[in-house]
């Protein structure tokens, strides 16, 4: 863990993220200041700091997109660097259990992630309080805490992926590229692929006129199902719902029945925290599951590997 | 004598510290070590010879419990390394071939890290670190980052690292490979003095014969996974080169075995 904090790589990435965080916070903060001038402050204004998109993107979107990079950067060479510098066999000849090595790598990484994220959220909150002059209520703080936990899990999942590659591949460059490839696949291609597949399975015309409604529904369903395979979708669905009490479902408007739409437009008050949590429980559970699954695979592969030095 | 007491292990006089019986390791269909029988007595300096790829490192890894034998039995300082690697690793030192260090730390930090992994309290370890750095003659260089060390210095630091846990038994895998003549001599003298003065059992694997001849009590010759000969050098010379031969080198004996295999 000392390792992580003192490395130049880590300083660079966290500086970048803190910087972007601060910029977003001040941008959004000023935006909110302007918008809410002269009118009664809406509830949960504070959470807007994180979810409002401002001019470019919101902080939540930013972490959803670039958070994986933190995980990958922290993990991609964790095991194979020890192999390349020939410290691994020495390390394993000390009286420690073999799993201590991999556990420590993962836990140290996760701890660093947690510290960075908490720090950023605190910075943004501090700036936000100064800029918009609104102090968060207890529910907002709770929502933020849940958001933080989900984010730590999400980035730890990517940490796990990159540690897995560092166990499998001997060269650090290969493992870095492999983790980046997986990241790009899940961030860009899954959503593209979901669109293509949905078009193939339930083709709908471009014109919009004379469309078969069942086909549209099917199209939408296929697209949703496939994009849910991506941890990024899981994460962003979960966190936007948690941070935005006005959001009452993760489904798109097309898939709702008329009564559901009606009730949504009737009851416009924010959801209580518990209800928001209910909506995204499956997402959160899946996040926990894939994180642990990923680490479990890492653990197994590492424990079964031969320690030949050459 | 700083290393004379406090090992705490199983203390046995002139008894086997390593015992291998029918030890075999296969990688797929390839046999790396074939039916190895071996006994190393406490306090001796044993040279383990063989060409590259003969299975020397594999044997060492099996003694350390880092690789599981396919069949056969091993006991190292009274423990089975496969079942009980923890106790074995606690009391033996291992210097891998071309040992690595954390290059951005200095010598003391590297040793401190290893000491902590061995659960040696900082109070005790700082004394031991000074002691072992003195033994390997690196005290003046202690503040430099290990990345700037020469090959010879790294290898000596490796020895210091092994000494930190005050082992009963040290495994050295090709300790002089890639060193210049001066570095080689210093290394050999160091190994010799460890064996003689500190009474540490030393198991040395190498393919550099003249060096082994200088410092070892007994040698074993391994070729293609087979231990073809074992015993004191003079004995092997008598057996292979004839009784009358006065001047022999280990190389002659070795080549004789090598051609037969």
């Amino acid at each position: 863990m000392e390792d992580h904090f003192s490395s130049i790589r880590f300083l660079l990435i966290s500086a970048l993220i803190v910087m972007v965080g601060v910029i977003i916070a001040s941008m959004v903060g000023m935006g909110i200041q302007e918008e809410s001038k002269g009118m009664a402050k809406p509830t949960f204004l504070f959470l807007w700091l994180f979810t409002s998109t401002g001019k470019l993107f919101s902080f939540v979107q930013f972490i959803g997109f670039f958070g994986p990079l933190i995980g990958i950067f922290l993990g991609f060479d964790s095991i194979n660097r020890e192999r390349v510098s020939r410290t691994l066999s020495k390390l394993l000849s000390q009286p420690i259990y073999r799993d201590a090595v991999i556990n420590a790598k993962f836990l140290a990484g996760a701890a660093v992630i947690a510290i960075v994220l908490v720090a950023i959220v605190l910075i943004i909150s501090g700036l936000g309080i100064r800029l918009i002059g609104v102090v968060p209520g207890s529910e907002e703080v709770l929502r933020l805490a849940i958001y933080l936990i989900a984010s730590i899990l999400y980035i730890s999942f990517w940490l796990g992926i990159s540690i897995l590659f560092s166990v499998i591949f001997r060269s650090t460059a290969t493992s870095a590229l492999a983790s980046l490839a997986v990241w790009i696949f899940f961030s860009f291609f899954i959503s593209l692929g979901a669109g293509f597949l949905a078009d193939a399975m339930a083709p709908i015309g471009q014109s919009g006129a004379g469309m078969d409604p069942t086909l549209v529904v099917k199209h939408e369903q296929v697209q949703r199902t496939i994009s849910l395979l991506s941890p990024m979708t899981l994460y962003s669905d979960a966190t936007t719902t948690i941070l935005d009490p006005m959001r009452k479902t993760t489904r798109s408007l097309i898939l709702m029945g008329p009564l559901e739409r009606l009730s949504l437009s009737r009851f416009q008050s924010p959801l209580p925290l518990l209800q928001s949590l209910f909506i995204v429980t499956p997402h959160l559970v899946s996040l926990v599951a894939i994180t642990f699954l990923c680490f479990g695979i890492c653990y197994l592969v590492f424990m079964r590997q031969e320690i030949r030095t050459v | 004598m700083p290393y004379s007491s406090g090992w705490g292990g199983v203390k046995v006089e002139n008894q086997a510290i390593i015992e291998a019986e029918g030890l075999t390791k296969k990688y797929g269909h390839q046999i790396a070590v074939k039916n190895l029988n071996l006994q190393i007595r406490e306090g001796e300096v044993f040279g383990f010879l063989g060409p590259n790829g003969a299975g020397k490192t594999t044997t060492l890894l099996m003694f350390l419990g880092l690789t599981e034998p396919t069949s056969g039995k091993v006991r190292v300082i009274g423990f089975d390394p496969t079942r009980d690697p923890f106790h074995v690793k606690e009391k033996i030192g291992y210097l891998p071939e071309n040992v690595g260090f954390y290059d951005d730390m200095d010598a003391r930090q590297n040793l401190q890290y290893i000491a902590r992994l061995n659960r040696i309290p900082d109070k005790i370890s700082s004394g031991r670190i000074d002691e072992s750095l003195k033994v390997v003659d690196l005290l003046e260089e202690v503040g430099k980052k290990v990345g700037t060390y020469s090959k010879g210095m790294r290898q000596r630091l490796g020895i210091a690292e092994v000494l930190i846990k005050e082992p009963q038994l040290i495994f050295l895998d090709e300790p002089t490979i890639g060193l210049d003549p001066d570095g080689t001599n210093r290394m050999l003298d160091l190994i010799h003095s460890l064996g003689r003065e500190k009474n540490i059992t030393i198991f040395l694997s190498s393919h550099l014969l003249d060096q082994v001849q200088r410092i070892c009590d007994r040698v074993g010759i391994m070729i293609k996974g087979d231990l073809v000969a074992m015993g004191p050098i003079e004995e092997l010379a008598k057996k292979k080169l004839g009784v009358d031969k006065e001047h022999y080198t280990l190389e002659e004996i070795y080549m004789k075995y090598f051609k037969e295999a």
Side-chain angles (χ1 to χ4, degrees):
Chain A
M1 192 156 151
E2 268 179 29
D3 245 29
H4 281 313
F5 280 119
S6 55
S7 79
I8 294 172
R9 189 198 314 165
F10 167 76
L11 283 180
L12 276 178
I13 187 111
S14 45
L16 179 80
I17 288 183
V18 168
M19 211 165 67
V20 173
V22 168
I23 291 172
I24 291 175
S26 43
M27 224 163 57
V28 171
M30 281 185 281
I32 293 176
Q33 225 174 6
E34 225 133 88
E35 276 170 33
S36 58
K37 217 171 244 170
M39 59 186 229
K41 296 228 161 86
T43 43
F44 300 109
L45 184 67
F46 188 74
L47 290 176
W48 282 16
L49 273 179
F50 297 92
T51 54
S52 158
T53 46
K55 285 196 179 68
L56 294 166
F57 40 69
S58 71
F59 176 72
V60 171
Q61 284 168 339
F62 180 74
I63 288 292
F65 200 71
F66 289 107
L69 278 185
I70 313 181
I72 290 173
F73 277 26
L74 287 177
F76 78 91
D77 64 350
S78 51
I79 298 293
N80 53 13
R81 190 181 43 175
E82 301 256 7
R83 224 189 267 280
V84 169
S85 65
R86 292 168 177 280
T87 45
L88 187 63
S89 56
K90 183 178 78 179
L91 203 59
L92 290 174
S93 70
Q94 306 305 326
I96 50 170
Y97 291 106
R98 193 156 167 182
D99 56 350
V101 175
I102 190 114
N103 291 346
K105 292 277 181 199
F106 188 77
L107 286 181
V112 170
I113 290 168
I115 291 169
V116 170
L117 279 179
V118 170
I120 298 175
V121 165
L122 286 181
I123 289 174
I124 295 184
S125 308
L127 270 177
I129 291 174
R130 269 199 73 83
L131 279 171
I132 60 177
V134 173
V135 180
S138 62
E139 196 185 317
E140 283 169 301
V141 171
L142 262 179
R143 278 174 188 274
L144 264 183
I146 294 169
Y147 164 72
L148 268 176
I149 292 169
S151 306
I152 291 167
L153 273 172
Y154 174 61
I155 299 180
S156 299
F157 163 74
W158 287 99
L159 176 73
I161 288 272
S162 63
I163 291 182
L164 177 63
F165 282 127
S166 88
V167 172
I168 295 174
F169 296 117
R170 295 285 153 118
S171 130
T172 51
T174 317
S175 61
L177 286 177
S179 338
L180 285 179
V182 172
W183 172 64
I184 289 171
F185 176 76
F186 278 127
S187 342
F188 302 98
F189 289 106
I190 278 257
S191 50
L192 271 180
F196 282 137
L197 247 159
D199 280 341
M201 286 170 74
I204 45 170
Q206 291 290 330
S207 57
M211 278 193 302
D212 180 3
T214 52
L215 213 58
V216 177
V217 168
K218 196 177 169 203
H219 182 273
E220 188 66 21
Q221 270 170 340
V222 171
Q223 196 162 355
R224 281 295 300 164
T225 317
I226 293 172
S227 60
L228 269 183
L229 285 179
S230 156
M232 186 175 284
T233 318
L234 280 180
Y235 170 77
S236 59
D237 276 1
T239 48
T240 41
T241 311
I242 284 293
L243 285 183
D244 184 1
M246 301 305 283
R247 190 184 270 257
K248 287 163 192 146
T249 172
T250 60
R251 294 192 295 166
S252 67
L253 214 60
I254 302 176
L255 287 184
M256 290 174 199
L259 282 178
E260 200 173 349
R261 262 186 249 187
L262 186 72
S263 70
L264 270 186
S265 57
R266 271 281 184 78
F267 305 104
Q268 294 228 326
S269 54
L271 273 188
L273 173 62
L274 210 58
Q275 294 304 319
S276 295
L277 254 183
F278 279 150
I279 295 174
V280 293
T281 307
H283 297 75
L284 290 178
V285 170
S286 323
L287 263 183
V288 173
I290 54 173
T291 307
F292 280 89
L293 187 72
C294 187
F295 179 66
I297 295 173
C298 262
Y299 185 93
L300 272 183
V301 172
F302 182 69
M303 294 301 277
R304 280 154 184 263
Q305 224 167 29
E306 286 280 346
I307 303 292
R308 285 304 314 234
T309 37
V310 188
Chain B
M1 288 300 293
Y3 292 99
S4 58
S5 63
W7 295 337
V10 192
K11 195 79 182 166
V12 272
E13 286 298 319
N14 258 346
Q15 223 171 318
I17 194 163
I18 305 176
E19 258 183 300
E21 219 183 294
L23 196 62
T24 302
K25 175 73 187 178
K26 291 180 191 158
Y27 288 108
H29 287 293
Q30 210 187 344
I31 300 176
V33 177
K34 208 187 297 173
N35 198 22
L36 176 75
N37 294 301
L38 182 93
Q39 282 204 334
I40 309 293
R41 287 187 293 272
E42 192 173 359
E44 76 175 329
V45 178
F46 185 81
F48 198 42
L49 305 173
N52 293 326
K56 288 173 298 184
T57 305
T58 308
T59 310
L60 282 186
L61 291 181
M62 283 194 282
F63 288 163
L64 279 160
L66 290 181
T67 291
E68 230 173 282
T70 312
S71 62
K73 272 192 271 181
V74 212
R75 288 196 90 72
V76 177
I77 52 166
F79 297 104
D80 178 352
T82 328
R83 295 260 178 86
D84 207 352
F86 207 89
H87 283 108
V88 173
K89 288 174 186 173
E90 237 171 12
K91 296 200 180 78
I92 59 178
Y94 170 52
L95 181 64
E97 188 180 345
N98 289 320
V99 65
F101 298 94
Y102 298 99
D103 285 342
D104 46 357
M105 297 199 255
D106 66 27
R108 188 181 295 276
Q109 287 168 327
N110 264 292
L111 297 189
Q112 187 112 46
Y113 180 57
I114 294 298
R116 284 197 186 138
L117 288 180
N118 281 284
R119 290 176 197 76
I120 301 169
D122 283 359
K123 265 187 210 156
I124 300 174
S125 74
S126 67
R128 280 197 204 171
I129 288 170
D130 285 334
E131 193 70 49
S132 47
L133 283 172
K134 205 168 114 198
V135 171
V136 300
D137 200 16
L138 276 176
L139 261 187
E140 287 110 70
E141 323 280 349
V142 72
K144 283 192 202 160
K145 297 228 148 124
V146 176
T148 65
Y149 276 25
S150 73
K151 177 103 201 196
M153 285 156 73
R154 289 172 80 90
Q155 213 64 13
R156 295 212 303 277
L157 182 60
I159 296 274
E161 196 170 81
V162 165
L163 290 178
I164 288 292
K165 54 174 153 181
E166 305 199 331
Q168 286 178 290
L169 166 66
I170 300 181
F171 289 112
L172 301 171
D173 198 354
E174 306 276 8
T176 56
I177 203 162
L179 298 188
D180 58 22
D182 177 49
T184 307
N185 278 332
R186 288 176 83 167
M187 194 70 191
L188 289 176
D189 290 343
L190 184 60
I191 295 170
H192 191 74
S193 68
L194 289 182
R196 290 290 171 280
E197 289 159 26
K198 304 197 190 300
N199 198 34
I200 300 173
T201 315
I202 290 173
F203 190 101
L204 169 91
S205 104
S206 179
H207 62 260
L208 301 168
L209 304 169
D210 53 325
Q211 303 174 358
V212 173
Q213 189 172 8
R214 265 177 54 194
I215 57 171
C216 290
D217 306 321
R218 280 201 312 156
V219 297
I221 299 178
M222 186 175 233
I223 293 169
K224 288 182 195 146
D226 246 335
L227 190 69
V228 292
M230 192 166 79
I233 298 174
E234 307 92 68
E235 215 170 86
L236 293 183
K238 265 185 209 154
K239 214 158 87 187
K240 274 286 143 181
L241 303 172
V243 204
D244 49 327
K245 191 145 184 196
E246 283 274 308
H247 298 283
Y248 56 84
T249 62
L250 185 54
E251 195 156 355
E252 286 176 82
I253 309 172
Y254 176 78
M255 284 319 289
K256 204 127 190 177
Y257 276 112
F258 192 65
K259 275 174 195 147
E260 282 170 20

